[in-house]
Amino acid sequence: MTAPADAAPKPSSNFLRQIVEHDLAGGRYAQRRFAGTPGDAAHHAAGPLDPAKIRTRFPPEPNGYLHIGHAKSITLNFGLAAEYGGACHLRFDDTNPEKEEQEYVDAILDAVTWLGFDWHAEFGERRASHLYYASDYFDFMARAAEALIGAGLAYVDEQSADEMRRHRGDFGHVGTDSAFRTRTPAENLARFRAMRAGELPDGAAVLRAKLDMASPNINLRDPALYRIKHAEHHNTGNTWCIYPMYAYAHPIEDALEGITHSICTLEFEDQRPWYDWLLDTLCTLGLLAQPRPHQYEFARLNVSYVITSKRKLKQLVDEHIVDGWDDPRMPTIVGLRRRGYTPEAICLLCERAGTSKAGGWTDYASLDAALREDLEGKAVRAMAVLDPVKLELTNWAELFGSVDFREPCHAGANPHRPELAPRAFSLGSEVWIERDDFAEVAPKGFFRLFPPSGASPGSKVRLKYGYVIECTGCAKDAGGAITAVTATIVPDTRSGTPGADAVKVKGTITWVGVHDAIAAELRLYDRLFTEAQPDAGGRDFKAALNPHSKTIASGFVEPSLASARPDDKFQFERHGYFVADRVDHAAGRPVFNRIAGLKDSWAR
Ligand code: ATP
Ligand code: MG
């Protein structure tokens, strides 16, 4: 039995916690002003001292559903803010008008809330919402672009996309200056305004920073700041036909919101010099104020047997390989939720995966282990039969006077929660048992039901919470398939009575009464992929799909589950953790999803 999750160790230190502690001890952000809403230097200068000791942010692009990798970023950013008296902003990085949709915005809000995090921060009396949209800063971004142009630090480049690519050079070759690079600030300003006024078609020009085409860091070779896109935006409608590039927008978003620690994944490491240059320059130009945010990178969360590329996840949905974004096999937050994984288990996995600069893989089994730890002490137990065959107790009427006699049984709801009322069900002359709990010819070490053979008697097992029974045989149909197993009750062996230990048995089997069991659809999910790294090395991840990732079984569950509501979680004895499906489960049509087995069946 594993310990309940609340016995988990306190969060361990990591390099980001050390950075935050160092900054707090040195008072790096102590004199920072924040007006309560994002704004430029003047706006913040007029505000009070920021009551938040630090500010972090989670900045999803609303172009897909969040997945387990995002959960890492959410727990990290919201976690740090909570730990150090700060605030964490939820910001939609909606700078790309074409791929973004309200559906995704709503799903992201829902996922963050469900994981247990809140973008409202309370300092004293004040409760402030820190939910922001990058698109709310488009005006400032354009103003900053004009300031860069005025300072001779940005120019409008009208090379073709192809020329631009060629002139950028690569790791081995320095880039070549664009012919447009020598335009005067006045010329550039006029062209930028023409871009903004819609006078140029898509792709005709970009605004670029004027840095160094020979820089060994390709990100510093005159990065693009603005492109033309005559497209409607989910927030700003048709106000704009130029949109800021992510690399330009993101540092500004951080600065306007008074972010102190801007935490991202390692692939942005080479962007840091640009991040620093842009913000320092805008501070020098008087548009922003010091102390400005700083960027820190950590290794992304990789989970084995899972893909976390939004594009590939979308492909699984679009090609109907899975049943939607919330398919219980998907690593999306909605998928994990529907599968039955709890926020506690997901957060525990993220904490245990650690935060470091060294990449690595977290085994999917750790998620199941975290789930077991969370549910062990919480989930109510129940008996269920996933692949039923009937067991007939042939001496029932003889012992109890009638085949219709029912023997009431009780079982604890959860050994860690003795205060809960016990479950009630009853034993009758016929019960459902698992088909594989019977073997006509017992393999070695098989301690469940098998019939007499030669001189050896049939096996004896205990029906859990009931009697010891002795197997007498089975019935078959014309095709030889087993239709029923037969056994007799060994009298006076009822669990909880003095005679219970009189007969020693090696096996105990679970069952549900034919007279009171509830028929249920049981969705048995397994990993979506058979390979630990399904898309490693550019391999076609669809070749690694697990054909057995979803099995639908018609089984039976004990009558105590009649009151199960969608999302209720249970431990089905011997089988694992199950959840009443949050979409399809209904009282008259029970549907349970298997979340995880009781132990790791994939371990070698
Ligand atoms: P893309 O930008 O390609 O659409 P993305 O996964 O980066 O995909 P975003 O919406 O930009 O999606 O991500 C929001 C935040 O989540 C970013 O700060 C990103 O670094 C972080 N994030 C995404 N995937 C992971 C991961 N596997 N581990 C940790 N953080 C992640
Ligand atoms: Mg991204």
Side-chain angles (χ1 to χ4, degrees):
M1 217 177 272
T2 39
D6 53 14
K10 284 294 288 171
S12 57
S13 188
N14 62 50
F15 81 102
L16 288 173
R17 286 192 178 111
Q18 285 165 13
I19 288 167
V20 170
E21 284 167 17
H22 180 264
D23 288 347
L24 288 176
R28 188 178 195 181
Y29 295 106
Q31 294 309 309
R32 205 170 29 99
R33 293 181 178 275
F34 183 70
T37 50
D40 56 18
H43 176 79
H44 286 315
L49 279 184
D50 191 346
K53 295 211 164 62
I54 59 166
R55 286 185 189 270
T56 56
R57 84 286 172 272
F58 173 63
E61 188 181 349
N63 63 350
Y65 282 76
L66 298 184
H67 53 61
I68 193 159
H70 295 115
K72 172 71 206 177
S73 181
I74 292 169
T75 57
L76 180 60
N77 282 293
F78 281 92
L80 281 173
E83 233 175 284
Y84 293 101
C88 179
H89 297 188
L90 174 59
R91 177 204 310 146
F92 289 104
D93 221 321
D94 56 350
T95 51
N96 185 354
E98 283 161 337
K99 290 198 198 145
E100 294 155 4
E101 287 176 30
Q102 190 60 39
E103 176 196 353
Y104 298 133
V105 170
D106 296 340
I108 290 169
L109 292 173
D110 201 43
V112 172
T113 305
W114 178 73
L115 282 171
F117 298 97
D118 190 352
W119 49 87
H120 293 87
E122 255 168 276
F123 296 102
E125 305 276 273
R126 240 170 27 126
R127 179 172 152 86
S129 167
H130 293 295
L131 174 65
Y132 302 116
Y133 291 82
S135 53
D136 286 337
Y137 316 140
F138 282 172
D139 277 321
F140 179 89
M141 290 174 190
R143 200 143 56 81
E146 294 203 350
L148 291 171
I149 293 170
L153 295 170
Y155 63 101
V156 173
D157 195 347
E158 294 178 53
Q159 296 183 96
S160 70
D162 207 42
E163 278 174 306
M164 229 176 281
R165 202 172 307 116
R166 258 185 300 119
H167 290 164
R168 187 169 296 127
D170 53 32
F171 284 109
H173 304 87
V174 297
T176 317
D177 284 0
S178 161
F180 297 93
R181 207 173 190 265
T182 52
R183 279 176 157 170
T184 64
E187 259 180 293
N188 282 315
L189 193 59
R191 289 312 279 164
F192 181 61
R193 289 185 175 165
M195 281 170 68
R196 182 174 175 174
E199 290 164 26
L200 303 177
D202 286 8
V206 293
L207 180 72
R208 299 177 78 174
K210 195 169 179 176
L211 286 175
D212 178 8
M213 289 304 290
S215 173
N217 182 341
I218 293 177
N219 297 295
L220 297 179
R221 293 185 188 171
D222 293 5
L225 310 181
Y226 267 96
R227 68 214 145 128
I228 303 170
K229 245 185 218 290
H230 291 268
E232 187 169 315
H233 185 279
H234 80 109
N235 189 21
T236 57
N238 289 307
T239 309
W240 297 90
C241 63
I242 56 169
Y243 289 95
M245 303 298 291
Y246 177 83
Y248 174 67
H250 195 84
I252 292 178
E253 294 155 20
D254 284 346
L256 295 183
E257 292 178 15
I259 299 302
T260 55
H261 300 80
S262 176
I263 299 162
C264 59
T265 40
L266 275 178
E267 63 270 24
F268 292 98
E269 196 165 19
D270 291 345
Q271 289 277 9
R272 186 163 14 109
W274 159 252
Y275 186 100
D276 291 342
W277 180 90
L278 178 65
L279 293 187
D280 284 336
T281 302
L282 293 178
C283 286
T284 305
L285 293 175
L287 284 131
L288 297 175
Q290 300 283 4
R292 59 153 176 99
H294 288 266
Q295 174 182 308
Y296 303 94
E297 311 86 20
F298 73 104
R300 59 193 298 115
L301 174 70
N302 292 311
V303 181
S304 64
Y305 300 97
V306 155
I307 52 174
T308 48
S309 150
K310 278 190 211 163
R311 185 178 56 78
K312 291 172 187 167
L313 292 174
K314 189 165 187 314
Q315 204 179 332
L316 292 173
V317 173
D318 290 345
E319 295 179 16
H320 304 288
I321 293 167
V322 296
D323 309 322
W325 286 103
D326 70 345
D327 185 300
R329 294 164 293 177
M330 288 283 271
T332 50
I333 305 296
V334 279
L336 294 166
R337 179 179 183 182
R338 188 161 176 196
R339 172 75 165 262
Y341 288 106
T342 58
E344 291 84 351
I346 296 170
C347 293
L348 190 56
L349 171 93
C350 291
E351 177 61 29
R352 288 198 179 143
T355 304
S356 76
K357 287 251 179 207
W361 285 78
T362 295
D363 194 336
Y364 190 90
S366 332
L367 180 60
D368 287 344
L371 180 90
R372 289 182 205 111
E373 281 180 50
D374 182 32
L375 290 189
E376 163 67 26
K378 291 184 190 165
V380 165
R381 278 33 171 180
M383 288 202 289
V385 175
L386 311 187
D387 181 15
V389 69
K390 199 176 276 181
L391 170 72
E392 296 168 357
L393 300 168
T394 52
N395 60 343
W396 188 267
E398 185 188 319
L399 280 178
F400 301 114
S402 158
V403 283
D404 296 324
F405 175 77
R406 308 283 176 248
E407 170 107 11
C409 299
H410 294 281
N414 178 315
H416 304 280
R417 300 170 69 187
E419 75 282 7
L420 293 184
R423 301 132 56 192
F425 44 91
S426 60
L427 185 60
S429 62
E430 292 182 337
V431 298
W432 297 111
I433 60 167
E434 291 297 338
R435 190 166 284 277
D436 67 4
D437 277 343
F438 172 77
E440 242 187 316
V441 180
K444 202 169 158 358
F446 185 81
F447 297 122
R448 290 167 280 163
L449 293 166
F450 52 86
S453 153
S456 36
S459 66
K460 286 198 183 76
V461 304
R462 175 170 295 283
L463 287 180
K464 198 162 188 190
Y465 310 115
Y467 290 90
V468 171
I469 59 171
E470 178 171 346
C471 187
T472 52
C474 66
K476 292 181 184 178
D477 65 13
I482 292 165
T483 53
V485 176
T486 53
T488 53
I489 288 187
V490 180
D492 302 326
T493 56
R494 172 78 206 262
S495 293
T497 65
D501 293 329
V503 183
K504 293 278 177 229
V505 293
K506 285 190 173 157
T508 296
I509 65 172
T510 43
W511 54 276
V512 290
V514 168
H515 61 281
D516 67 0
I518 301 170
E521 178 175 321
L522 302 164
R523 299 179 179 168
L524 308 177
Y525 292 107
D526 210 330
R527 294 174 187 184
L528 193 50
F529 297 100
T530 52
E531 298 281 343
Q533 298 178 21
D535 52 359
R539 164 169 59 196
D540 176 16
F541 63 97
K542 287 193 283 177
L545 283 166
N546 175 8
H548 309 295
S549 61
K550 174 183 173 184
T551 309
I552 305 285
S554 299
F556 293 98
V557 298
E558 69 172 54
S560 69
L561 294 190
S563 55
R565 284 156 312 163
D567 244 357
D568 283 352
K569 295 165 187 77
F570 301 93
Q571 186 194 98
F572 287 178
E573 299 185 40
R574 289 172 78 208
H575 291 302
Y577 290 99
F578 283 71
V579 64
D581 189 77
R582 57 190 295 257
V583 178
D584 295 334
H585 176 88
R589 187 183 177 277
V591 179
F592 295 94
N593 302 332
R594 181 167 64 199
I595 319 170
L598 291 178
K599 53 182 189 296
D600 183 11
S601 59
W602 283 61
R604 278 187 202 146

